Structures are given as C-alpha cells and as structure tokens.
Amino acid sequence: MGLSDLSIKQPVFITMIMLALVVVGLLAFTQMPVDFFPDVSFPVVAVTTIYAGASPTEVQAQVSRPIEDAMVTIPGVEDVQSQSSESFSVVLVTFNLDRNAEQAAQDVRERIANVRSSLPEDIREPSVMRFDPAQLPVLSVAVAGQNGAAANDIRQVVVDDVLPRLQRIEGVADADVVGGKEREIQVFLEAAALKARRVAPQQVIQAIIAESVSIPGGNVQKGQENLLLRTPGNFEQVADLASLQIAGPTGIVRLADLAEVKDGSKEQVTYSRLDGQPAVVASIRKQSGSNTVRVADSVRAELAILERERPDLSFTIVRDQSTFVEESVNDAIFELLIGALMASLVVFIFFRDLRNTLVTVAGLPVIVIGTFAVMGALGLTLNIVSLLALALSVGLIIDDAIVVRENIFRHMERGESPKVAASRGTAEVALPVLAMTLTIVSVFLPIAFTGGLIGRFFRSFGLVVAVAVLISLFEAFTLAPMLSAYFFKQKSWTMCPTRTTRRAVSTPPSGGWTASITGCWA
C-alpha cells in the first residue's frame, strides 16, 4: 500500500506530520470556546411595545394587530403570536431554523420601521430582541455598601463606576443592574389648580415634552472654524422644571403653580438583599461564541481589582454559570481519559505483549488531539455533546490500529522482518479497515445534517465522531506501520535440536498424497 510504504520509508516525514497535528490540536484546544451546550441560534424575535395608559383592547387593536400584519409578510416566518395587556404589547415571531437569527432580527426591524407611522404617536419605540441562550447571565454579582449605604446610592455608583469597567472586558457583551431605586423627577398635578386656571393635563404633558426636545440651530462660521449650534432641552435641576411656563386661557403660569415637582424615584418592583442588607445585583452577559470560563475568570479578576480600589463596597458572586460548565467539561475529559486507559488495558489483555500494546495505543492521543484541531477549524466548541462524542469514539478510533498491528504481528511471527511485515500486513487489511471506517462514518455523519432543533444540538456529535474515525484511519495507515517497522522486534526462527515431523494426510477422490513439515519456531 503506497501510504503505508511511504510512512515506512520516510519515518521522519510522518513523524513531523503527526507532531504538527498535535501542535495545532493543542493550540485549538486552548483557544476553543468552552460552554455547556453547543452554540445554537434560535430564530425567535420578540417585539415589545409600551403604550402607557392604554387598555388591553386598545393595545391589541392599535399596536399588536398592525405589527402582526407586518410580520407575517416576512419570508421564512413560521408563526406569529402576540400578547396584549395593559400598556404593554409583546409579539413573538418564529422563523424557520434555516434562517440566520441576526438577519431575521434585521428583517423585523425593517418592517417595524415601515409600520411605525401607522402606530400611535405616543407609544415608546418598539424594542426588537432576539432570543439567544447565550444572553443568559454568566455571572451575577451582588454589590452592597460596607457602612449600610442606601441601595439607591449603591445603584448609582455601580452604574457610573462599576458597569463601565465590566463592560470593557473582552468577551463581555453587556452588563446591567437589578435592584435599588432609579431616580425619577415626578410631577403631581393638582386638580384644583388646573381647574382654577383652566389648564388641561394634556397641555402640561405637551409643554414638558416640547421643552425637553433638543433643537438643532444650524452652524456659525467663526474664522476658519464651522461651529454647530444646538439648543439643548434637558432640565438640569428640579427648579428649572418647576419654573417651566405654560400658556393657558388665563395667561402664562408656572408648572409649580399647577403641580408639585419633586426629585423622587421610580416605583420599585425588584428588591435585592445580601445577608439581609440592601444591595444591587449586576448581571454580566457574554458575547455569543465566546469562552464562558475565560470570560468569568476575567470578570472575577476585575472584581478583585475593584474591591481593592473601592473598600466602601463589597462584591459577592451569587451566581456563577462558569463553575458548572467547567466542572461538567472536566468530568467529561476525565471520563475520556478513563475510557482510553480501559481500552489500553483490553488491548494488553488480548495481545499479552507490553511493547505491542504501547505501540498500538501510541496513536490514541494523536487522534484525540488532532480531532481538536479539526473541531476548531469547523467552529465547534468544547461542550457536553462534543466531549461525549469524543469519549464514545475512543473505542472506535483504536479499532483500526488494532486490526493493522495484529496482522503485522502475525506476519512477524512467521519470521518476516518488521519492515516487510508492516508493509505486507497493512496492505492485506487495507480494504477491510477502510470499509469498517467508512461504515462508521456513514452511520454517524448523517446525524450532523439532521433537521430541527435537536439536529442543531447533535450536529457536533456526528461531526466529532466522523472526524475522529477518519483521523484514526489515517493514523492506522501511516503511524501504525511506521512504529511497527521500527519498534517491533523481529521474531527469531531456528531448527529444533530434535526434529519433529508432523504429517498431514489427505485423500481426494482422484487419489492420495502425503506431505510432511519438519521444523519448529524457537
């Protein structure tokens, strides 16, 4: 066989190829993202719209129904569902699994922009969110004050100082805060004052909205500089809002004459406590496809720096997804090593030769590490499914080498030299080994092309098994005969001191003949 003969004649060349495969595999293993499940995109997009003060019927008729009608015309949409409640609308758009999730979300945004003019003007801009399991928090950190500081004060500190530091970490997609009180300027209208001055509540709302808009003012040429003018409409102090002038039938009145304006906070619906003390919780989300364990380690390192810089705050990790992921991956790798050890033990029991066993299992780490190189090239991740496939493959990837080396060993027992035995033994079983390997590939590879959501999860399973078995076939035709040719001892054959004659007699119908074989193997 040409490939095995080349490996026997050029051992350095084959050794370099195997070494390169191991080096690339180790680099891919260190850089490969680690996660619990495969990175699967769900083409589900949610459109949420807030219509303050509207009843569920109004939300359904004026918001949910127009958005539904716009969504059903998008190519690839399988299902559209909506839920309308008081002041709130949610429209779920489900696409075919073949659709790219990011492109599907972009199509939804374009349709929302087309129908925006038909929606009520006083709604908040519809929010388009793509469902992605990778957006679940990797870490949740509770932040509390050392001296009993108020939760609302802690929240502002976390938003201003802590979150920007965490969001700049490589691999972090976003971080948000739950708990505490959010600042809100509140305007409490007085019915008697409105009635006395004959000002409608809607006039007050429109006046506040109109004064809160920043208006561009053109540009001014100053020497060689072109300065842009803009009229800011943001209120900097509560007193500025209280002195807002509103035109009414009885003349100009101030907002303070019609309402009570004060600096307050939003209605709190979420409470966070750490050991019974008020706290806020910062949730960190990783980027899709990034390494969960590496992102969590980077966040923990940054938190350690923040603890030294901010002794007035205490940081406690209350939820860490990376710990579970790391333990699961380590357990899977441990099971992989146990499987390799048990396979080597079985080979030794049947071969009853330590040298032959070591040469047989020498290609096992090369195959496993080489599989990591191909996994990295295919964009796969280290997860429970891919490692399960690799652990299952241990018993399959060693079969080719066992068949080849057993046949080589049989030729050497006949007295052939290791090089001749390696060449002839590999050539004799080349087609059976090839047929056996392709049979396994034909069984597991179609799993990678299974449709539906389950097929997406098990895509890495089929690919990993097929890749590992194909690499084992290459190893059986190259490394196996090369090691056998240079690391096996030649069996010695001598004549016995006392000749032993074994006579075999056969009598065919046409007549009889007698043959004798004299000799023995030392």
Side-chain angles (χ1 to χ4, degrees), residues 342-470:
M342 296 303 295
S344 304
L345 181 61
V346 171
V347 173
F348 175 74
I349 292 174
F350 283 90
F351 277 0
R352 298 185 300 275
D353 185 275
L354 182 59
R355 181 188 295 271
N356 196 8
T357 301
L358 293 177
V359 173
T360 301
V361 301
L364 192 57
V366 176
I367 298 171
V368 174
I369 298 175
T371 304
F372 289 134
V374 182
M375 289 173 60
L378 295 176
L380 303 180
T381 63
L382 286 177
N383 53 75
I384 292 297
V385 177
S386 60
L387 290 176
L388 172 64
L390 200 56
L392 176 65
S393 303
V394 170
L396 302 175
I397 60 182
I398 203 173
D399 288 347
D400 296 342
I402 291 175
V403 173
V404 171
R405 287 192 173 95
E406 175 62 23
N407 199 47
I408 295 174
F409 191 69
R410 183 176 64 87
H411 277 267
M412 293 182 63
E413 285 183 333
R414 292 180 176 180
E416 297 178 1
S417 66
K419 291 185 178 181
V420 174
S423 177
R424 293 179 179 177
T426 304
E428 285 181 357
V429 297
L431 287 180
V433 170
L434 179 62
M436 179 177 62
T437 302
L438 294 182
T439 300
I440 297 174
V441 172
S442 64
V443 170
F444 285 95
L445 189 59
I447 298 177
F449 302 98
T450 304
L453 189 59
I454 301 300
R456 294 294 182 89
F457 272 97
F458 282 93
R459 174 177 176 269
S460 58
F461 183 88
L463 288 177
V464 169
V465 174
V467 167
V469 172
L470 289 175

Side-chain angles (χ1 to χ4, degrees), residues 62 66 94 98 113 147 175 182 295 367 431 435 443 457 512 516:
Q62 301 181 29
T94 304
D98 296 334
N147 301 319
E182 296 185 59
V295 171
I367 298 171
L431 287 180
V443 170
F457 272 97
S516 64

Side-chain angles (χ1 to χ4, degrees), residues 52-66:
S55 65
T57 303
E58 292 175 332
V59 172
Q60 167 67 21
Q62 301 181 29
V63 179
S64 298
R65 183 62 60 81

